[in-house]
Amino acid sequence: GAASPYSDFECTRCDAAADPVRWSPPVTSNACFIGGKCVASGAHAQVRSGRSYVDDPCLRCDPSANSSIYSPVAGCELPENFRAGCYTDSGSEVISLAAMRAENDTNHMTIASVQTHNTRLSSEVESLNRQNTVLQTQLNSSVTPPASCGGLNDDLAIALIVVVSVMFVITSSTLAIFIHKERKGSPVFAPPANYVVTGMPCAGAGAETYGTSASSAGKP
């Protein structure tokens, strides 16, 4: 179909088969359709300058990039005579080459200083680790096991306790037997039944005889 003869709608067509009373959707193969208007490929966006509008050197229609908005123009702000340096995509200078080199040198010096400081700290850490190892060794060697009572080991001490306990039980049992016999009238250390003690009282005169048996009591 024929293209629209009206301004800002040049990218539309007459397609009677699709819609006999309306223009077809915009054809953006070689144009942009921005803000409800057709924009020719390569046309720049308009910006106000005083009382009129002028082309924006950094925005233009580029259907191959985007047909619905203006595309940025690379290097649009780059001056004709520019110095070496770093620039944005639009050509605006970010930093000169001399300043960039000076900053780079400063960064390298800072990195070298940090590496030297890191090496010194690593050496100090290794020294502290060695000191810690020495101190730990000294601490381990100074710790001795607790001495057993009387310089005896545990096994010997237990054996002595068992022996003393057995002896105490035997002694207690023997003493209990002695007391029991004494209370029953049959002491263990009583003299024989035929043993008679004769003699004079301590206050009498003459010889006294002690420990004479009953068989020899009538003899002179």
Side-chain angles (χ1 to χ4, degrees):
S4 171
Y6 300 106
S7 177
D8 298 333
F9 292 94
E10 297 87 350
C11 60
T12 60
R13 297 286 185 272
C14 174
D15 188 358
D19 191 338
V21 296
R22 292 184 179 86
W23 296 104
S24 68
V27 178
T28 57
S29 58
N30 58 353
C32 298
F33 191 75
I34 304 172
K37 298 179 181 180
C38 295
V39 180
S41 177
H44 287 263
Q46 299 296 299
V47 293
R48 181 180 289 275
S49 176
R51 296 185 178 182
S52 60
Y53 285 89
V54 296
D55 290 344
D56 184 348
C58 294
L59 293 174
R60 70 179 177 184
C61 170
D62 186 0
S64 62
N66 195 325
S67 62
S68 59
I69 59 174
Y70 288 102
S71 301
V73 179
C76 62
E77 296 179 341
L78 189 66
E80 294 182 1
N81 298 321
F82 59 90
R83 58 183 179 177
C86 182
Y87 295 84
T88 63
D89 291 340
S90 64
S92 177
E93 182 180 6
V94 177
I95 186 173
S96 66
L97 180 61
M100 185 169 58
R101 286 178 175 175
E103 184 177 349
N104 187 51
D105 293 339
T106 301
N107 291 336
H108 279 293
M109 289 188 294
T110 302
I111 292 173
S113 176
V114 171
Q115 289 176 343
T116 302
H117 183 65
N118 184 45
T119 302
R120 184 171 65 254
L121 291 179
S122 298
S123 177
E124 292 178 359
V125 169
E126 293 178 358
S127 177
L128 291 175
N129 286 333
R130 289 193 296 269
Q131 294 179 10
N132 182 49
T133 303
V134 172
L135 293 175
Q136 187 64 41
T137 303
Q138 294 177 354
L139 178 61
N140 294 336
S141 62
S142 65
V143 175
T144 56
S148 58
C149 298
L152 303 176
N153 56 31
D154 294 339
D155 295 337
L156 183 56
I158 293 174
L160 291 176
I161 293 173
V162 171
V163 171
V164 172
S165 300
V166 171
M167 293 178 64
F168 176 76
V169 172
I170 294 174
T171 303
S172 301
S173 301
T174 303
L175 182 59
I177 293 172
F178 289 166
I179 294 175
H180 181 67
K181 285 183 173 293
E182 288 288 343
R183 290 183 177 179
K184 292 182 65 175
S186 55
V188 176
F189 300 105
N194 60 350
Y195 191 84
V196 178
V197 178
T198 61
M200 297 299 292
C202 294
E208 298 178 354
T209 303
Y210 296 94
T212 306
S213 63
S215 60
S216 61
K219 296 180 181 181

